[in-house]
Amino acid sequence: MWVDVLLLSQLARRPSHGYELRRRVEAATGFVLHNNSLYPALKRFSDAGAVTRTLEPQEGRPPRHVYALTDVGRELLHDLLADLPDDLAGDEAEFLARLAGFARLTPDERRGVLDARARVLRERRTRVAGLAEAAAPDADGDPGDPWAALVLDEVLRRVREEQAWLDRLATRATDTTAPTTDRTEEMP
C-alpha cells in the first residue's frame, strides 16, 4: 500500500508519465520502484477514477500516457495517508510513506498515524525484551546465547530511539508548517 501512497502523492504534485513518475518516487524516497508495481497501480487508479490517463504526442516517437490525479484520487490519497492500520503500522515503509504526506493531514490525523506506530513499537519492545531476557545468562549457570542477546539488545536500542523520535514528532504534529531537517532526529 505504501507504493499507492507514494504514487498518488507524486501525482498530487503534478501530472506525470510513468517513467517520470517512477523516477520522482525513487528520488524522493530512495525506494526502488519497479514497473511491475507501477503500472498495475496506475491501472487500478485509472479504473477507480482516481487518475486520468491521456496520450501526449512526442516528436518522432509514439505518444506516451500522462497520468493526472482527479478529485477522487485526492480523496483516496487523503484517506490512505490518514489511516495506518495496526497491521501495517509495523512496516517501516508504510509508516514513512504516510509521514512524508503529513502536510496534507490535520494535526489529529497526524497524531493518529503516530499513535498507530507507537502502539506497534511498544508491543515490539515488550516482545523483544522478553526474548532478550531468555537469551541472557541465568543464575543456574546457563550461559544463554550471547550472540542472540547482542542482536536483541541492538533491536531494543533501535526501538527506544524510534520511540524517542516519535515523541519529538508528536510535538510537531500540531504544527501546520513544514518541519526543518534536523540530522539529530534521523531514524536508525
Side-chain angles (χ1 to χ4, degrees), residues 11 15 30-31 55-56 60 91 94 98 105 114 135 146 171:
L11 286 173
F31 293 128
L55 285 176
E56 180 181 271
D91 185 301
E94 291 287 349
R98 284 161 179 81
L105 299 179
L114 293 172
T171 62

Side-chain angles (χ1 to χ4, degrees), residues 91-162:
D91 185 301
E92 185 175 279
E94 291 287 349
F95 170 66
L96 293 176
R98 284 161 179 81
L99 180 63
F102 266 23
R104 297 180 176 279
L105 299 179
T106 67
D108 286 342
E109 291 168 332
R110 293 174 189 167
R111 187 65 200 192
V113 171
L114 293 172
D115 288 347
R117 181 66 175 182
R119 277 191 304 276
V120 167
L121 288 178
R122 281 192 302 272
E123 291 170 9
R124 185 178 298 162
R125 185 176 183 176
T126 299
R127 185 177 55 79
V128 173
L131 294 170
E133 189 175 309
D138 65 21
D140 296 332
D142 179 2
D145 186 343
W147 290 104
L150 182 74
V151 169
L152 294 168
D153 284 346
E154 177 60 17
V155 171
L156 282 172
R157 184 193 66 77
R158 291 179 185 193
V159 168
R160 283 190 302 271
E161 282 188 12
E162 186 174 349

Side-chain angles (χ1 to χ4, degrees), residues 11-128:
L11 286 173
R13 297 180 68 155
R14 70 176 183 270
S16 301
H17 57 83
Y19 174 76
E20 177 188 19
L21 184 58
R22 187 182 80 207
R23 199 173 35 118
R24 285 179 32 217
V25 165
E26 289 176 358
T29 65
F31 293 128
V32 175
L33 185 60
H34 298 283
N35 286 345
N36 59 358
S37 297
L38 171 66
Y39 290 103
L42 289 172
K43 172 121 175 59
R44 274 195 332 274
F45 297 151
S46 181
D47 291 348
V51 299
T52 59
R53 186 177 83 168
T54 58
L55 285 176
E56 180 181 271
Q58 299 184 94
E59 193 172 317
R61 294 156 97 185
R64 63 182 172 194
H65 295 280
V66 175
Y67 300 89
L69 201 61
T70 66
D71 288 340
V72 169
R74 285 185 215 327
E75 187 175 324
L76 175 61
L77 172 58
H78 177 268
D79 292 349
L80 288 171
L81 288 170
D83 183 38
L84 182 59
D86 285 354
D87 62 321
L88 296 179
D91 185 301
E92 185 175 279
E94 291 287 349
F95 170 66
L96 293 176
R98 284 161 179 81
L99 180 63
F102 266 23
R104 297 180 176 279
L105 299 179
T106 67
D108 286 342
E109 291 168 332
R110 293 174 189 167
R111 187 65 200 192
V113 171
L114 293 172
D115 288 347
R117 181 66 175 182
R119 277 191 304 276
V120 167
L121 288 178
R122 281 192 302 272
E123 291 170 9
R124 185 178 298 162
R125 185 176 183 176
T126 299
R127 185 177 55 79
V128 173

